[in-house]
Amino acid sequence: MKVAVIGVGHVGLVTAATLAHFGHEVLGLDEDASKIESLERGVAPFYEPGLQDLLDEVLGSGKLRFTRDAARAIDGADCAFICVGTPARADGEANLLAVEKAALAVAGNATGDIVVIQKSTVPVSTADRLHLMFAKATIHNVRLVSSPEFLREGAAVEDSLNPDRILVGSDDPRAHELMKELYAPVLGDSCRYFEVDIHTAELAKHACNAFLALKISFANALARVCEASGADVDAVADIMGSDHRIGREFLNAGLGYGGYCFPKDLLAFKAVAGRLGYEFGLLEEVIKINRGALQAAVDKIKDALWNVESKKILLLGLSFKPGTDDVRESPSLNLARALTRLGANVVGHDPQANKFAVRELPGLQVVDDLYEGADGAHCIVICTEWPEFKDLDLVRLKGIVTLPIIVDGRNLLNEEAVVGAGFSYIPTGRPPVNL
Ligand code: UDX
């Protein structure tokens, strides 16, 4: 099939490359000149494991091309994916301006009947708006589909090539047939296919992200109680998780959830529920606990250092999670902001995200060599659980820091080894050791 993908960010680019890998003719459209220029040179504009190899393959075969010209992208397309950003407005509602713009580009440039697949995460009922808009803006028949993605950054290529589910919402039977054809290469025993109405698909995506965030906030609330009582939050999570009705995943306490999706999706879900007449107080609490998880880390650092002013604090990990260079809504950067406000001298190190961290937080000092950052530090904080931080040379670190204090915001390190090397260790969700 001939496919246009509008918006080649984290979701759109992986989707476009996967569809090209499955043999479709794909044109990726984006208005960001630097992104298109990088892709035309064959270089992925952000770090995502496996993406560069996949791009090499599909650019080599000619199945994937890029353009900034909407008419060229939409001309003759059987379907168009909308994969643009839906950031939060000040009142929490999703800002759907980019979705509207993408839909107008399809309407204005369609050369025949077309299937429009809305992949951006949007509030329930967005499809009604799009239906109305297409009815006015084009003479062609537009079959509208909501097919939210469940990609995790850092594992997006793997998730896209081997999805655990495909969700297709549409009120048009022919659209369902076409979508089955499009997704045929991934449909197998390990992938469940959900064929539902369009509102159910839209709502399901918000429900999934909100529930995952709820699990994380539950773990973070538990962490506070464990710290106060002497219990161990990871052991509690293991015990809970061994009950298959609960499941162990997303019960890791830490600095709270971040990233492009959860923070804005929680706000948008709460806002749309409120607009529909249901006050979703549970989501409010999830958001509040998430803020509290970061504040708990700030309090621990203050408590350990007494006066934070002018103390050097090294933050290890700046991306919102390991395996990505994405720093959007990163808890580490929020921690850097909070500590800087308190007068600390904050230095950051990340295996992939240093460049993007400085762009997001100008003035943040970053180091490529974490031992250089640790030199003279009064406190080291593990913010993101990059696997390489597990192998820190603790003896070397002990020799160069001013104060041997490690705050483990992700419970990554081995407590015995840290304490054995002479550090005070302040984990998450269990009492500090050697403080
Ligand atoms: C999420 C959803 O998982 C994915 O299905 C959806 O398509 C997009 O949003 P992503 O934002 O890539 O994916 O990250 P995810 O792995 O879900 O982690 C989100 C945040 O939660 C990260 O900051 C992570 O560190 C945090 N987290 C996750 C925890 O604090 N504890 C956990 O147990 C799990």
Side-chain angles (χ1 to χ4, degrees), residues 149-151 153 205 216 250 252 257-258 261 320-321 410:
E149 53 73 33
F150 298 98
L151 306 180
E153 286 185 31
K205 171 67 189 197
I216 298 169
F250 280 69
N252 292 321
Y257 60 77
C261 296
F320 82 96
K321 69 173 192 179
R410 298 289 175 185

Side-chain angles (χ1 to χ4, degrees), residues 266-428:
L266 266 280
L267 289 172
F269 194 21
K270 189 170 106 34
V272 72
R275 191 154 36 80
L276 292 168
Y278 180 70
E279 220 42 63
F280 214 146
L282 181 62
L283 299 184
E284 180 66 49
E285 198 58 29
V286 169
I287 296 166
K288 199 171 125 201
I289 293 169
N290 198 52
R291 277 197 296 265
L294 195 82
Q295 187 55 45
V298 174
D299 292 344
K300 283 177 201 171
I301 295 165
K302 272 164 68 177
D303 197 41
L305 291 180
W306 188 21
N307 295 303
V308 175
E309 286 89 345
S310 304
K311 300 252 167 72
K312 180 175 180 184
I313 302 176
L314 172 66
L315 303 185
L316 292 183
L318 300 170
S319 56
F320 82 96
K321 69 173 192 179
T324 176
D325 57 14
D326 194 344
V327 297
R328 291 175 294 177
E329 294 290 328
S330 168
S332 347
L333 292 193
N334 286 335
L335 186 59
R337 287 186 185 96
L339 294 172
T340 305
R341 271 198 299 274
L342 291 173
N345 165 22
V346 179
V347 178
H349 163 80
D350 191 282
Q352 294 288 343
N354 276 351
K355 187 176 84 184
F356 294 99
V358 175
R359 207 178 283 172
E360 181 82 10
L361 193 55
L364 176 70
Q365 193 190 332
V366 294
V367 284
D368 290 333
D369 175 5
L370 75 89
Y371 295 95
E372 182 194 329
D375 194 13
H378 296 83
C379 179
I380 298 174
V381 188
I382 307 284
C383 295
T384 313
E385 64 278 33
W386 283 96
E388 40 269 71
F389 297 155
K390 266 192 183 160
D391 305 321
L392 290 177
D393 184 341
L394 294 163
V395 175
R396 184 174 167 200
L397 282 177
K398 174 69 171 52
I400 56 178
V401 295
T402 298
L403 280 180
I405 300 172
I406 293 184
V407 174
D408 195 345
R410 298 289 175 185
N411 287 353
L412 180 73
L413 304 184
N414 178 292
E415 182 170 305
E416 254 173 55
V418 175
V419 175
F423 281 88
S424 299
Y425 183 58
I426 308 171
T428 302

